[in-house]
Amino acid sequence: ETGVTQSPTHLIKTRGQQVTLRCSSQSGHNTVSWYQQALGQGPQFIFQYYREEENGRGNFPPRFSGLQFPNYSSELNVNALELDDSALYLCALWTGLSGYTFGSGTRLTVV
Amino acid sequence: RKEVEQDPGPFNVPEGATVAFNCTYSNSASQSFFWYRQDCRKEPKLLMSVYSSGNEDGRFTAQLNRASQYISLLIRDSKLSDSATYLCAPNTGNQFYFGTGTSLTVIP
């Protein structure tokens, strides 16, 4: 039990649709990062939020967007879904010396 | 050049063997480094953090070479339960760029 909760755990969407993935924790963490992990690959950095502001972004198009709320929960939104967006999406909370603690992820399938 | 490069393996080793993985990184501003293990279809879990030249935790030793920009992970006396993918993550401004990971299978 990591204390980081992601929902939903699994999701099937149709190409062109929009999806919202959610992340929360039992204790407040002001820095959250989102990662996309395709099968057989390492996690790819999407973006990071610190105190409700995006302060870092990987090589992902603008249709990937996010939010962080005052209670430090977070959302990842993906518009105009493509087949290649099928992946495991991981939320990670920064815990300082112990690095990032990951949620168990949302497995998204785009058909 | 990729931010982080790892030999994907797979490494297949017998129980009790010693195995080492290397990870090279491109951003010289990276201040700290983390090794994660990831089991199949699970999230990455922290194995070890490195803030200076290295770190040791039981059978696991990580060594950092800043001049050559690589970090290694050594596993001694391999156990069946060590079978997993090992991910290297240099930390730059609290942003992690992971390698593809190295797959390890420990064989009875």
Side-chain angles (χ1 to χ4, degrees):
Chain A
E1 179 59 52
T2 65
V4 182
T5 303
Q6 289 189 245
S7 62
T9 55
H10 297 81
L11 197 56
I12 299 175
K13 287 287 192 177
T14 303
R15 190 171 46 183
Q17 284 188 312
Q18 178 266 343
V19 68
T20 297
L21 311 181
R22 294 180 174 85
C23 174
S24 63
S25 70
Q26 297 167 344
S27 56
H29 295 273
N30 58 21
T31 302
V32 60
S33 292
W34 284 89
Y35 289 84
Q36 179 196 67
Q37 188 173 24
L39 202 60
Q41 300 296 316
Q44 298 297 303
F45 174 66
I46 303 175
F47 46 57
Q48 179 186 79
Y49 276 79
Y50 173 69
R51 294 186 174 179
E52 304 175 53
E53 297 285 332
E54 183 181 300
N55 75 336
R57 189 175 185 93
N59 189 25
F60 280 81
R63 61 189 184 85
F64 285 78
S65 63
L67 283 172
Q68 187 182 31
F69 299 99
N71 67 356
Y72 300 130
S73 64
S74 177
E75 288 182 355
L76 163 66
N77 299 288
V78 187
N79 293 323
L81 283 167
E82 300 176 0
L83 297 178
D84 285 349
D85 295 334
S86 296
L88 178 68
Y89 288 85
L90 295 160
C91 161
L93 303 184
W94 177 250
T95 58
L97 293 178
S98 298
Y100 276 104
T101 295
F102 286 84
S104 55
T106 294
R107 194 163 297 279
L108 173 65
T109 302
V110 182
V111 297
Chain B
R1 183 181 174 187
K2 289 183 179 179
E3 292 270 351
V4 181
E5 297 201 53
Q6 294 183 253
D7 180 349
F11 285 67
N12 299 316
V13 302
E15 264 186 296
T18 296
V19 62
F21 310 136
N22 283 331
C23 167
T24 58
Y25 60 95
S26 62
N27 192 337
S28 59
S30 299
Q31 291 298 307
S32 56
F33 304 82
F34 297 82
W35 281 100
Y36 285 79
R37 69 167 281 164
Q38 187 173 27
D39 295 296
C40 187
R41 302 181 73 82
K42 298 286 189 181
E43 74 274 19
K45 293 188 176 177
L46 181 67
L47 178 66
M48 185 173 290
S49 56
V50 182
Y51 285 86
S52 56
S53 60
N55 194 6
E56 183 172 334
D57 183 5
R59 299 182 294 109
F60 300 86
T61 301
Q63 289 189 320
L64 171 63
N65 185 320
R66 289 188 188 272
S68 301
Q69 293 184 204
Y70 79 82
I71 183 166
S72 64
L73 178 68
L74 182 77
I75 305 176
R76 291 181 296 276
D77 188 22
S78 299
K79 311 290 186 190
L80 296 177
S81 58
D82 294 334
S83 297
T85 295
Y86 291 82
L87 297 160
C88 164
N91 177 18
T92 306
N94 297 347
Q95 294 175 15
F96 285 10
Y97 287 86
F98 286 91
T100 55
T102 298
S103 174
L104 170 67
T105 300
V106 181
I107 304 164

